[in-house]
Structure formats: structure tokens, C-alpha cells
Amino acid sequence: MKRTGLFGTKFATRRQRFGALSAAAVLLVIPAYGAHDAEAKGRTEAAPATAANARVGALFSGGLDSGHNCTASVVRSAGHDIIVTAAHCLPVDESEGGRAVFAPGYRDGSAPYGTWPVESVYEDDSWTEDGDQDSDVAFAVLGAGSEGGRPVQDVVGAAPLFAGRVTGEAVTVTGYPSDTEVPQVCTNTSVAYGDAQQRIDCPAFPSGTSGSPWVVEGGAVAGVIGGYQYGGDDPDVSYSIVFGPRTKALFQRAEAAGTPAPAAGAAKAAAAPEPTAGGPSLTSGQSGAGAQDGDAGRATRSDRPMVCACLTR
């Protein structure tokens, strides 16, 4: 049900083997935000128009009148310009160079925060060459948006990436069914599916919700709808790969491409010694927990910290 890509591509439904994917991460403290009502566990409903939900958006193959077929969300990066989605949503040769458009917070036919073109797409070779369902994740660098050329993260904020399996943890999934103009949200407990994937039972997540972020307590993205059967062949059950070292490497490739060249005065600072083993590892240039959230993110920030194994912060 979720197997339609952004440009209408249909995929085979064969089940592929699962490869082991270990979690390599650093413990970081991040603020909590955007949690779904715990009492609504396992129930899908319209997502409210909040600052946190503004980071989730619809993907279009052209302008807003072309129809949306996938979902994506903004993740923290040095260039403030990266989204994450499922690999089957953004075929590299059909979506780069502005041929796909991201509309964060899209609702009722309008893009209240503006639109950004997809300029480049990064996917694992095992996906592009073999269609490996254990690699069904993509990062995309966005071009200048409609909001005065501001990077998307500066407009709607962004979430960090969570490394590792979230089996037994509450996960909130937010996405755009193709036939719905309002995002849908559901929270439930994530369950392991093989060695490299995870699943969640949430009703009414059909075609169009591929790429929807899996958000854990604290606001980090721990997966995207995709993986087995390209997100699942049952609209009431969704899948995601487990983010680990390969996901981190893929993100770093996208971040390197999207990061602006440092000014001359910053070059010397960039050569500073790496953090010691006992200190925080800042993989995206942030100077502290909760940095670079953007105005929208600060509007809902909580002082209640949580410990998160994150790839970025």
C-alpha cells in the first residue's frame, strides 16, 4: 500500500534477506518536544498544526498542483538544508535538480512555510544497485526555498537522527496519505522485524505515507516508513529500517555536499582538536544540545531532558 514512489514508480514485493545493522552512536542529552498524546496509543488521527509537525512535509513531483505521493522531514545538518525520506520515494535520476519539491507543514492545499526544491539525493549503493529493502532510506539536499532563499531548517527547525533499534519504545509516526490533504499521526510501540528492521501497528497509513518519520520521545527521528514491502502491504502495519553506521555514513555524504564552504576566519577554528572520548561528539557542527532548532522549534522546547543515542544533534 505504501509502495508508490514520488514519480509513480511501482516496486516488486519480494521479501529480501535482512542484514545485521549495528548501532554506533554517542549518548547526548536533547530536549523533549512534540510528543503525541499517550492515551491515543494505536489510534490514527489528524495531526495538529504545531511547530514540531511543521518539520514534516509532503513531497511533490512538481508544483503543489501535481499531487503528493510521499512524506519527508527536516533533520539537523550543518547546511540547514537536509530532509530524510524513504529511498523509493526519490529516484535519484528522476528527482534531482529541482524536479521534486518539499512542502513542510503542508495542509489543505497550501504550503504555509514555503516550498524547497530537491537538488540532490543520497542513497546507499545496495539500494540503487540491488533494491535492498534494508537500505530503504534517502537524504536529500534542498535548494533555495520560496522564503527569501532561507534554508528550510531556519524556517521550521529540524530534528536530530537517532541511531539504533527502538524495539519496545513508543514511536510517533506522522505522514501524508496520498488522498488526504492533512497529515495523520499515530503513536504505538515499535516491534523488531528481523535483524535490520522494525515495525509499528498504526491504522490507516496507506500509499503516500512512505518516508514518514518515526519520532522517539525527545524528538529524534529513529526511522522512516519504508523497508519491508517498501513500507508494508497492509495500511495498518508500517515498517522502517534500523538506522545505524550505514545510515550515518549516508547522512554525512549528504551533509558534506550541502554544507557551505567556511569563511576564511572559520577555517582555523575548523582545525581545532577533536573532542576527547569522554566528551560530546558533534557530528553536524552544533555547539550544544538543542542548537539550530530554528524559531519554530524553540516555540515548543521543553526543559525536560532525555538521553538519546543520536547521530546528530
Side-chain angles (χ1 to χ4, degrees), residues 284-304:
S284 300
Q286 285 83 352
S287 59
Q292 299 188 351
D293 258 348
D295 294 340
R298 282 191 288 272
T300 58
R301 182 171 300 168
S302 167
D303 293 330
R304 180 171 61 89

Side-chain angles (χ1 to χ4, degrees), residues 165-171 188-192 198-201 214:
R165 186 180 293 281
V166 290
T167 300
E169 300 295 328
V171 173
N188 212 339
T189 302
S190 176
V191 178
Q198 47 207 350
R199 55 166 277 181
I200 188 172
D201 294 342
W214 291 37

Side-chain angles (χ1 to χ4, degrees), residues 123-131 135 250 253:
E123 298 168 357
D124 194 274
D125 290 344
S126 61
W127 169 264
T128 56
E129 296 174 5
D130 303 319
S135 302
L250 191 62
R253 282 173 52 200

Side-chain angles (χ1 to χ4, degrees), residues 14-312:
R14 63 188 176 87
R15 179 174 178 178
Q16 298 179 317
R17 65 180 180 82
F18 295 98
L21 196 61
S22 60
V26 178
L27 289 179
L28 303 173
V29 177
I30 66 172
Y33 69 88
H36 189 212
D37 184 357
E39 295 182 0
K41 185 175 180 180
R43 185 176 75 227
T44 298
E45 57 194 15
T50 64
N53 286 337
R55 302 165 189 178
V56 182
L59 282 170
F60 296 79
S61 57
L64 297 187
D65 58 352
S66 65
H68 54 88
N69 295 297
C70 273
T71 303
S73 60
V74 186
V75 291
R76 293 178 188 168
S77 67
H80 294 203
D81 54 4
I82 292 180
I83 57 173
V84 64
T85 187
H88 72 263
C89 284
L90 288 176
V92 174
D93 58 347
E94 297 181 16
S95 55
E96 290 187 337
R99 284 172 285 185
V101 174
F102 175 66
Y106 176 80
R107 186 175 294 261
D108 294 326
S110 66
Y113 301 96
T115 58
W116 281 261
V118 172
E119 291 296 334
S120 55
V121 180
Y122 295 86
E123 298 168 357
D124 194 274
D125 290 344
S126 61
W127 169 264
T128 56
E129 296 174 5
D130 303 319
D132 180 7
Q133 294 180 13
D134 290 343
S135 302
D136 193 4
V137 62
F139 294 97
V141 177
L142 304 180
S146 61
E147 296 299 296
R150 296 172 65 195
V152 66
Q153 182 173 324
D154 290 352
V155 177
V156 298
L161 293 173
F162 183 99
R165 186 180 293 281
V166 290
T167 300
E169 300 295 328
V171 173
T172 297
V173 183
T174 305
Y176 288 83
S178 296
D179 59 356
T180 303
E181 295 298 283
V182 174
Q184 303 296 300
V185 64
C186 173
T187 297
N188 212 339
T189 302
S190 176
V191 178
Y193 187 74
D195 294 330
Q197 297 198 28
Q198 47 207 350
R199 55 166 277 181
I200 188 172
D201 294 342
C202 275
F205 269 77
S207 176
T209 57
S210 286
S212 298
W214 291 37
V215 178
V216 294
E217 182 183 4
V221 176
V224 295
I225 290 183
Y228 173 61
Q229 301 283 37
Y230 305 95
D233 55 3
D234 181 341
D236 296 339
V237 182
S238 298
Y239 298 82
S240 170
I241 70 167
V242 175
F243 288 175
R246 286 162 57 187
T247 306
K248 180 176 182 178
L250 191 62
F251 169 78
Q252 290 174 331
R253 282 173 52 200
E255 185 177 49
T259 303
K268 185 174 182 180
E274 291 292 324
T276 62
S281 175
L282 306 180
T283 60
S284 300
Q286 285 83 352
S287 59
Q292 299 188 351
D293 258 348
D295 294 340
R298 282 191 288 272
T300 58
R301 182 171 300 168
S302 167
D303 293 330
R304 180 171 61 89
M306 71 166 288
V307 175
C308 171
C310 293
L311 298 179
T312 65

